[in-house]
Every structure is written in structure tokens, then in C-alpha cells.
Amino acid sequence: MSQLKTMALGDGLASNSGKFKPEKPLHHHHRAAHLHRWHQQHCVAVWGLLAIALLIAFFAFSPRPSTPSRRHLSSPHASWGGPLWEKRVQASARIRPTSSSSRRAISVLVTGAAGFVGSHCSIALKRRGDGVLGLDNFNDYYETSLKRSRQALLDRAGVFVVEGDINDANLLRKLFDVAPFTHVLHLAAQAGVRYALRDPASYVRSNVAGLVSVLEASRSASPQPAIVWASSSSVYGLNSKVPFSESDRTDSPASLYAATKKAGEEIVHTYNHIYGLSITGLRFFTVYGPWGRPDMAYFFFTKDILRGKPISIYEGPDHSTVARDFTYIDDIVKGCLASLDTSQKSTGSGGKKRGPAQLRIFNLGNTSPVPVGELVSILERLLKVKANRKVVKMPRNGDVQFTHANISLAQRELGYHPVTDLQTGLKRFVKWYLDYYSPHSLVVKKVSSIGGLSS
Ligand SMILES: O=C(O)[C@H]1O[C@H](OP(=O)(O)OP(=O)(O)OC[C@H]2O[C@@H](n3ccc(=O)[nH]c3=O)[C@H](O)[C@@H]2O)[C@H](O)[C@@H](O)[C@@H]1O
């Protein structure tokens, strides 16, 4: 290839030189005058070019003031900064004084606040008097209208969601400057195990680089916040010993998603070790419920069953069942809030560790795995529609055959006791789904009912 290229270039040069016609000789005077003019014109041109190059270099390489970064943002609305914006941030992050509670209220920066778990947790925190500021980049991994509806609910509850990316270090620094958060609930992530086959880079960007960006901002913040963040049951990967316990090995991930969450668990260890950040990781087990994620099976099964479209139900080798420890959103919210409440303070200051800091990891599951076929049967009963089932062999797309959480550690340390079985949780989801997607359901109606959100 390169030989061909060289030959072609060589050919071109040879033929050019052959066609080159020298200009006619000029009279000496004319020639001198011409050269002078040429020199003047070219000097202007050279200086002009130099000035343009300097300007480009200045704009390309000079450090920017705190302006919003739009890279990787799907939304054209992202903007932040200014005195009014700062006031909104402070008002949202401010703790509401309550005389009744013995609990010390906290001020939490919630990343991924317009997401499923993020919106539920933000509302729950705000309701009990905590300060909450949301951050979300409103990317279009799934329908942004759903994220906007959640944002409208948050707005009504008094939670301001800043539109920005966790990879925007300037924005994070600004947020910590404006509001002294006591805690960060870091839920922003690229979720979904199967989508990693289509856009692997998005997992590295959000779950690795984004996490580091949040940790960097947190370790430099004064005071340093305590961090609670979302890991995943998928870190147990191809493990066959059930139920999964926090002390089990997690070195055989089945998807890039799982690998980035596992990487996150190692990354937070270093920030705890070096900077004294107090960090709690939560391994969520297939969280479902009202205002959920449309990319998850229970959600798109509901949509497809109602439209009469076929659904693929995965099965394992020798027709064995595929099962999940489906966990209802309200139980997860309780686990998240208990993790925040039991977090100890970070020990670092001025970017330096001043003593050992808390480092925890918990399973937040339901402890009762249900086969996917059974999930579909429950949906059929609730929707009163027969599903068009296609049972297919589980593709090698990142899925694992089963999950099952051992939650004794979370029970002991967090007082975590999930109370919602799949039938009850799906009933609430279906009710919400039918209302939200009903053609008669006005947006106003959708956002006026806060009931479905962590009630
Ligand atoms: O618990 C977790 O850690 C993970 O839970 C879910 O991942 P997953 O459990 O795979 O949830 P779904 O994608 O909703 O799948 C649920 C079940 O349905 C099965 N499935 C999925 C899709 C399909 O077409 N057919 C089918 O039978 C899957 O194999 C799985 O057993 C989330 O999507 C992840 O973001 C999260 O981290």
C-alpha cells in the first residue's frame, strides 16, 4: 500500500517537473519593482497568517473560564453559571430546619438526578428536609421526555437539576464552591448490560472517567463530602455460588458494563486510601418500578405485550431458566438513604488524608429470584393481555443466567429490609405505565401526581 502511494507521488512529481514552464524574463527595473511589491504584499500576508495562527492557538490552548462544556451532551439546553443560577443551586442544596427529627439533616449532590433511581432518591431526601441538588446531562440513551417529566416532578418538590456532565471538572468545582455538600449520591452512569456491545466508549466515559471526575472534585472540596455510589449486581458476573455475598470474588464479569462497575470499585478504593474519602458502594439488583428505565426488560415487555409484538424470553443451557433478584425502587431508596445516614465523615482536607476513612460495599437486592417467564406471567395478568412469547437461547450479549443477593450485611449495618414482592411492585409499575402512556394523560397530569415517586 505504502509502496503504491510512494510510486504515485513519485510519478506526479516527475510529470509536474516535466510540465513546468518558467516565466518570461522581466526587464531589470520592472523586476525590482515587482519584487518590492511582492515582498510588501507577502509580508502583510505572512504577518496576517501569523496573527490568525496565534489567535487560534490562544483559543485552542488557553485555560477556559468556567463555561459549560457541551461535549458528550445530547441536550442543547446545557448552561450554568451566573448569580441567579448560584442562588438556585444554594436554595436547592439548603437544609430545611426541622425541629421534630433527631437525625442530622444533610446536603446532597445527586448525580443522575433525572434518572430512575436518582429522581426517586432526590424526592425522598427533599421530603425529609435534606438539601438536594441534582445534576444530569439528559443524554438520549433512552427517551429524554421521560427524564424531562421526572425533572418536572423534582422541580415541584423543590429540587433544582443542573444540566451538565459529570466529566465537566469546571462545573463540579463550581458546584462545590457554591454549596458545601455534606454528601454526594453518585448515580450518574451508563447503564444497561447489552447496550455495551453497541457503544462501549460511553461506558468508559461515564462509569470510569466520569467517576474519577466526581472523586477528583470531591477530594478537593472543602469540606470533603462522604460518597455513596451505584455499583451493580453484575460485578458477580459468571459466579455460580448463590446467594451472592459481598466477600465473593468479582473477577469474571460477563459484560463491559460489569467490568466498568468493577473498575469503579477498585478506583474508589484508591481515593479512600489516598485522600481519606468516606465511600459506600451499593450493588443494586435489577431495580424496577414506576418511572423506571425503558431499556429494561420488564419495561419493554410491557410495551410490546400491549402492542401485540413478540417478546424474547431467554433461557439457559438445557432449557434452564434465567432468573433475576428483581428489587423494587422504594426498597432501593431506603437502602440509599440509610447508606447516606450511616456514612461517616471523610477525613481528608486540603487534598490530603488526615486519617483512615470508611469504605463499604453492600448488596441491595430482594433475596428472592424470579424466573423471567414468571415475570412475564405476572405482567400478562396485570395487563390482561396474553404475551406473544418467543423462548430463545440467551445470547452472549453480556447477560448472566441468574442473580441472587445475600443482604445480611445491609440488614445488619443499614437496617435494610426489602418489603415489596415482584407482584406488588409490578402492579404499581403497570398502574403508572398505563397512566403515563395513556393517550388521554396530559403532561400536566403526569407531573402533578407525585404519588408514584417513592411514596
Ligand atoms: O442488577 C444489575 O446490576 C443490572 O440490572 C439490570 O440488568 P438486568 O438484570 O440484565 O435487567 P434487564 O435488562 O431488565 O433484564 C432482566 C432479565 O430479562 C432477561 N431478558 C432481557 C431481555 C430480553 O429480550 N429477554 C430476556 O429474557 C435478562 O436475561 C434478565 O434475566 C440493569 O439493566 C443494569 O443496569 C443493572 O446494573
Side-chain angles (χ1 to χ4, degrees):
M1 178 75 182
S2 63
Q3 204 182 3
L4 276 175
K5 249 187 189 164
T6 318
M7 275 170 65
L9 278 174
D11 287 344
L13 274 177
S15 61
N16 263 348
S17 57
K19 279 180 187 166
F20 180 68
K21 301 266 188 289
E23 287 177 17
K24 277 185 189 165
L26 295 162
H27 186 273
H28 186 73
H29 275 63
H30 285 161
R31 201 175 156 184
H34 178 80
L35 272 175
H36 183 67
R37 267 202 316 277
W38 183 92
H39 186 73
Q40 274 185 330
Q41 284 166 359
H42 279 74
C43 270
V44 171
V46 166
W47 281 110
L49 280 174
L50 204 67
I52 290 168
L54 277 171
L55 272 174
I56 291 172
F58 174 78
F59 282 112
F61 300 114
S62 63
R64 290 171 189 215
S66 293
T67 51
S69 156
R70 287 178 184 234
R71 262 191 312 165
H72 313 310
L73 292 183
S74 61
S75 167
H77 310 295
S79 69
W80 54 267
L84 279 178
W85 176 87
E86 289 185 15
K87 276 211 171 82
R88 272 193 91 180
V89 168
Q90 281 162 342
S92 191
R94 194 170 300 128
I95 293 163
R96 183 160 37 91
T98 46
S99 50
S100 55
S101 171
S102 56
R103 183 185 61 86
R104 203 167 47 86
I106 55 181
S107 177
V108 191
L109 169 64
V110 181
T111 71
F116 174 34
V117 180
S119 53
H120 280 271
C121 286
S122 298
I123 300 247
L125 287 165
K126 198 72 187 179
R127 273 187 181 154
R128 55 177 218 176
D130 294 322
V132 184
L133 180 80
L135 174 64
D136 205 292
N137 73 359
F138 291 88
N139 70 39
D140 60 2
Y141 168 59
Y142 61 79
E143 51 190 72
T144 50
S145 55
L146 180 54
K147 298 181 181 184
R148 292 291 170 196
S149 296
R150 295 187 193 124
Q151 183 188 22
L153 280 179
L154 290 163
D155 200 45
R156 280 167 166 257
V159 178
F160 176 39
V161 181
V162 169
E163 194 159 342
D165 200 288
I166 49 171
N167 281 295
D168 188 341
N170 287 335
L171 169 57
L172 292 183
R173 203 175 306 120
K174 185 77 186 170
L175 289 175
F176 279 108
D177 279 353
V178 171
F181 300 107
T182 56
H183 294 72
V184 174
L185 181 56
H186 176 50
L187 302 172
Q190 178 57 59
V193 293
R194 291 173 292 277
Y195 180 69
L197 297 181
R198 280 170 44 204
D199 187 3
S202 64
Y203 289 80
V204 179
R205 212 156 48 225
S206 295
N207 305 355
V208 179
L211 173 65
V212 171
S213 173
V214 169
L215 293 168
E216 276 294 315
S218 302
R219 65 110 171 156
S220 315
S222 182
Q224 278 184 340
I227 295 170
V228 175
W229 74 286
S231 182
S232 160
S233 72
S234 64
V235 299
Y236 292 109
L238 303 173
N239 288 10
S240 53
K241 177 188 145 282
V242 283
F244 299 152
S245 301
E246 290 86 348
S247 54
D248 293 347
R249 294 183 71 139
T250 50
D251 51 7
S252 55
S255 65
L256 180 66
Y257 168 73
T260 58
K261 286 295 182 180
K262 165 71 177 172
E265 291 187 359
E266 308 302 330
I267 289 168
V268 300
H269 182 274
T270 63
Y271 277 80
N272 169 270
H273 172 69
I274 299 172
Y275 300 109
L277 280 175
S278 157
I279 304 180
T280 304
L282 301 174
R283 293 176 178 165
F284 295 154
F285 282 68
T286 317
V287 190
Y288 73 98
W291 298 94
R293 273 174 33 212
D295 64 315
M296 289 184 68
Y298 75 95
F299 202 116
F300 64 76
F301 281 173
T302 301
K303 184 175 169 191
D304 291 343
I305 291 171
L306 287 171
R307 289 180 183 191
K309 283 176 68 180
I311 56 170
S312 305
I313 299 172
Y314 297 157
E315 65 172 17
D318 303 323
H319 304 295
S320 54
T321 52
V322 169
R324 283 291 178 278
D325 196 359
F326 296 100
T327 311
Y328 189 63
I329 183 65
D330 289 4
D331 292 322
I332 289 290
V333 169
K334 283 185 200 144
C336 290
L337 269 53
S339 300
L340 290 165
D341 291 341
T342 53
S343 283
Q344 289 169 4
K345 283 192 172 155
S346 291
T347 62
S349 66
K352 282 210 171 61
K353 184 176 181 174
R354 310 275 168 192
Q358 191 181 36
L359 183 67
R360 305 181 295 173
I361 189 91
F362 294 111
N363 285 342
L364 291 187
N366 198 47
T367 59
S368 48
V370 176
V372 180
E374 176 55 25
L375 162 89
V376 175
S377 299
I378 299 174
L379 286 175
E380 285 178 321
R381 285 197 295 277
L382 293 167
L383 296 167
K384 299 185 182 66
V385 181
K386 198 110 198 86
N388 182 355
R389 298 177 184 228
K390 299 266 176 284
V391 178
V392 299
K393 218 168 148 275
M394 192 171 81
R396 194 171 300 159
N397 55 11
D399 263 308
V400 294
Q401 202 179 333
F402 52 83
T403 61
H404 183 182
N406 176 343
I407 56 163
S408 25
L409 189 63
Q411 273 171 339
R412 224 174 29 245
E413 308 260 324
L414 305 175
Y416 170 74
H417 294 284
V419 292
T420 319
D421 61 27
L422 189 57
Q423 163 84 28
T424 309
L426 282 179
K427 193 172 173 189
R428 290 182 199 152
F429 164 72
V430 165
K431 185 179 176 305
W432 168 82
Y433 183 95
L434 295 176
D435 180 41
Y436 185 79
Y437 289 105
S438 150
H440 309 296
S441 171
L442 302 167
V443 173
V444 180
K445 187 177 146 204
K446 283 174 203 162
V447 300
S448 67
S449 151
I450 230 164
L453 207 58
S454 282
S455 47

